Amino acid sequence: NAGVTQTPKFRVLKTGQSMTLLCAQDMNHEYMYWYRQDPGMGLRLIHYSVGEGTTAKGEVPDGYNVSRLKKQNFLLGLESAAPSQTSVYFCASSYSIGGLLNTEAFFGQGTRLTVV
Amino acid sequence: DQQVKQNSPSLSVQEGRISILNCDYTNSMFDYFLWYKKYPAEGPTFLISISSIKDKNEDGRFTVFLNKSAKHLSLHIVPSQPGDSAVYFCAASALGSGGYQKVTFGTGTKLQVIP
C-alpha cells in the first residue's frame, strides 16, 4: 500500500524555468492538498482539491497552478520558477465522514525544490 | 497572522520522563485539533486528534488536552522514548468557505529525547 507518492523527491531549477510536481494517492481519497514548508513558517496551503476536476486556492497560491484530472492524481505546476519558491513541498490527501472532514491527512514524503 | 502558535521551537527531555508540547490558537471557530509528527526527510504523519467537544483524548503513551477557554492545546508523551525525537506540528481545523474544512498548522516544535 503506497499511500501518497510524490515525484520527484529533489529538483533544482533555474529562475524562469517551469516544472510539474506529481502527487498520486491510492486510497481513493476525495480531498488532496499541496503545502509548502519553510523554516519557521509551518506548513502553508498552496492549493487544494475537493474532488476530481475541482481545484481551489489556499493561503499562498500565487505563482502556482494545479490540476486534478483524475481522482488519484494532483499536479502542482510552477510556470516561471522564482527563488522565493525554494521550499519543501508536501502533497496530502484525506477523506470525509458523513460530509465532515474531521479526519487526518496522509502526507507524501516531500519534494525538495531549489530555485537558483 | 499566525492563528496556531507553537511558541517553543525546541524541547529536550530525558528518556522515560514526560514530554509536554504546547499549542495556542486564536480562532474560536476551530472545532478539530490534530498533532502530527515529522521525521527528517519524511512527510508528517498523524499522531492524535481531539474534537472541540472533548477536553482529553488518550492513545497509548500520547494524550492530548484541550482547554477551550484558554484556547490552549497540549500533547503529553509518557514515557518519552528516543524514537519520539521528531518535529511535532499542531494543527487546527474550521469550516471554511465552500464547505472546505480548512486546516491551519503551527510552526512546529522539535523534540529531542535524550537516552
Side-chain angles (χ1 to χ4, degrees), chain B:
Chain B
D1 177 26
Q2 190 72 27
Q3 294 189 22
V4 178
K5 300 179 184 180
Q6 293 178 258
N7 292 319
S8 298
S10 62
L11 175 69
S12 289
V13 172
Q14 208 71 29
E15 181 180 2
R17 297 288 188 98
I18 183 172
S19 294
I20 300 176
L21 293 90
N22 294 304
C23 178
D24 296 297
Y25 62 95
T26 57
N27 187 349
S28 58
M29 298 303 292
F30 287 140
D31 59 4
Y32 195 67
F33 303 87
L34 309 95
W35 285 95
Y36 288 86
K37 179 168 72 174
K38 185 184 179 305
Y39 292 118
E42 294 184 10
T45 55
F46 170 73
L47 190 58
I48 192 168
S49 63
I50 188 167
S51 165
S52 61
I53 62 174
K54 295 186 177 181
D55 54 19
K56 177 182 174 181
N57 188 28
E58 194 171 351
D59 184 2
R61 296 185 298 113
F62 303 92
T63 303
V64 56
F65 295 93
L66 176 63
N67 182 335
K68 282 188 293 183
S69 60
K71 293 191 176 67
H72 180 79
L73 191 69
S74 64
L75 174 68
H76 292 210
I77 306 173
V78 182
S80 301
Q81 300 174 354
D84 296 329
S85 297
V87 176
Y88 289 79
F89 289 99
C90 171
S93 75
L95 194 62
S97 57
Y100 161 64
Q101 198 80 12
K102 181 182 175 184
V103 180
T104 304
F105 283 83
T107 52
T109 297
K110 185 175 183 179
L111 173 66
Q112 182 184 19
V113 180
I114 304 165

Side-chain angles (χ1 to χ4, degrees), chain A:
Chain A
N1 187 358
V4 179
T5 303
Q6 292 181 229
T7 310
K9 291 185 174 59
F10 303 95
R11 186 73 186 268
V12 178
L13 283 180
K14 292 183 178 179
T15 298
Q17 285 186 319
S18 63
M19 79 163 293
T20 301
L21 282 68
L22 172 64
C23 176
Q25 54 98 0
D26 61 2
M27 296 172 283
N28 202 35
H29 286 170
E30 305 141 306
Y31 301 86
M32 296 188 75
Y33 317 86
W34 276 106
Y35 290 91
R36 59 178 288 174
Q37 184 193 9
D38 302 292
M41 301 290 287
L43 290 155
R44 292 183 294 169
L45 182 65
I46 305 171
H47 284 281
Y48 65 96
S49 168
V50 300
E52 182 179 325
T54 71
T55 63
K57 294 180 180 180
E59 301 171 69
V60 288
D62 294 342
Y64 305 95
N65 57 75
V66 287
S67 64
R68 191 156 178 213
L69 300 179
K70 294 183 179 180
K71 187 176 184 179
Q72 64 269 32
N73 296 336
F74 195 29
L75 278 63
L76 178 71
L78 286 73
E79 291 184 345
S80 179
S84 61
Q85 293 178 304
T86 293
S87 187
V88 180
Y89 292 85
F90 289 101
C91 175
S93 70
S94 63
Y95 57 98
S96 66
I97 298 176
L100 295 177
L101 197 58
N102 285 342
T103 61
E104 72 272 23
F106 294 77
F107 284 83
Q109 77 277 25
T111 296
R112 184 172 292 276
L113 175 66
T114 302
V115 183
V116 297

